[in-house]
Amino acid sequence: MVTRIGLVGCGTVGTGLIEMLDRKRDFLRERHNFDFSLVFVSDAIKGTVFSKTGLDTAEILKEIAARGGMFESRYAGNGPDKLEGLLREARPDIVCEAAPTDYKTGEPGMTILSSALKAGASAVTSSKGAIGLNMAGLKKLAIENGVHLRFESSVLSGTPLINLVRGPLAGCSLSKAEGIVNGTTNYMLTRMEAGLGYDEALEEAQRLGYAEADPTGDVEGFDAAVKVCIMSAEFFGVELRVDEVRRTGITGVTAADVANAAKSGRRIKLIAGASREGGSAAAYVEPRAVDLANPLASVSGATNAVSIVTDNLGEITISGPGAGKKETAQGILSDMIDIVSMRYQSG
Ligand code: HSE
């Protein structure tokens, strides 16, 4: 069976996903029985392309590389350009959402994900706003419509933390999750220790595709705070509002602070976490000078790490890429493969 995929949001992550689908088409079919047809790509800046029978992924990538958009593609303008129309005409099995995220409203993800689920498509997202703000509502919508909602890439990009807890760790109760969950700030702090200034370090993180379209969310700790909300909801069943997370970003951290910490055998890290306390959770994001003997001190660059405390297995730590183009696309891809394999299992 061919899986019909629609993609909304074609920035760093969306383009990374098309590249991965293009490069791995044969491997995905042979290894995972995952045969796909990309039926639309829609982006607020780059335009919309649509084909009922499937877009030529190589051609779309060439078009984006050459012109920075898809307006002149042979697939542009020959179908609907609004999401409702695309869902109706293209009938995707899965909608991938990778649009820039607004941490306060969860938009445009909230609208995109709800529309997809209501139209009977499963939804996979890498953006954090909507999931962080209303995971329960979106999950309910998925169940009501008999489809799936997955969001592996929303925390630690493709490093499988979310699916580790929901899959192999099923049956464990979690009481704490803590670590480094923002790639941009961890990269910046690492580079500042190597002698770069704050602005230079931020520019590098942006150039490497780690930062959000508006990096304020990264440096002020909103991105990490929303990820903490996602972990709390998914791991403890406790939904927190972002403003319930005690939050300090790294905007007040200077190159001198980083250097002074290094002189005293410590390293500044933006630590984010949540602990379950009965039916609620205490949650925080804050820069901390950790001792070099602390395992989190050696998590450098855009690498992230989270330790979770479970009843059945004690503490488990997972570390891996926390941001990046192909790293985030990988999480979306693995969610899609999982959804499709479930479809096979249930006939
Ligand atoms: N801007 C985010 C980060 C992207 O730096 O962690 C991955 O969520």
Side-chain angles (χ1 to χ4, degrees), residues 80-123:
D81 57 359
K82 296 266 183 318
L83 183 59
E84 262 62 36
L86 288 166
L87 292 169
R88 200 176 48 242
E89 296 283 316
R91 301 228 151 267
D93 299 300
I94 303 178
V95 170
C96 300
E97 189 266 321
T101 199
D102 181 320
Y103 300 104
K104 295 209 171 79
T105 62
E107 294 295 354
M110 197 77 90
T111 302
I112 297 164
L113 296 172
S114 339
S115 308
L117 296 168
K118 281 184 198 155
S122 288

Side-chain angles (χ1 to χ4, degrees), residues 128 153-154 181-185 210-212 218 223 227 304 322-323:
K128 296 137 271 188
S153 277
S154 63
V181 297
N182 182 268
T184 301
T185 48
Y210 303 145
E212 297 300 305
D218 293 299
D223 180 83
K227 286 168 175 164
N304 284 181

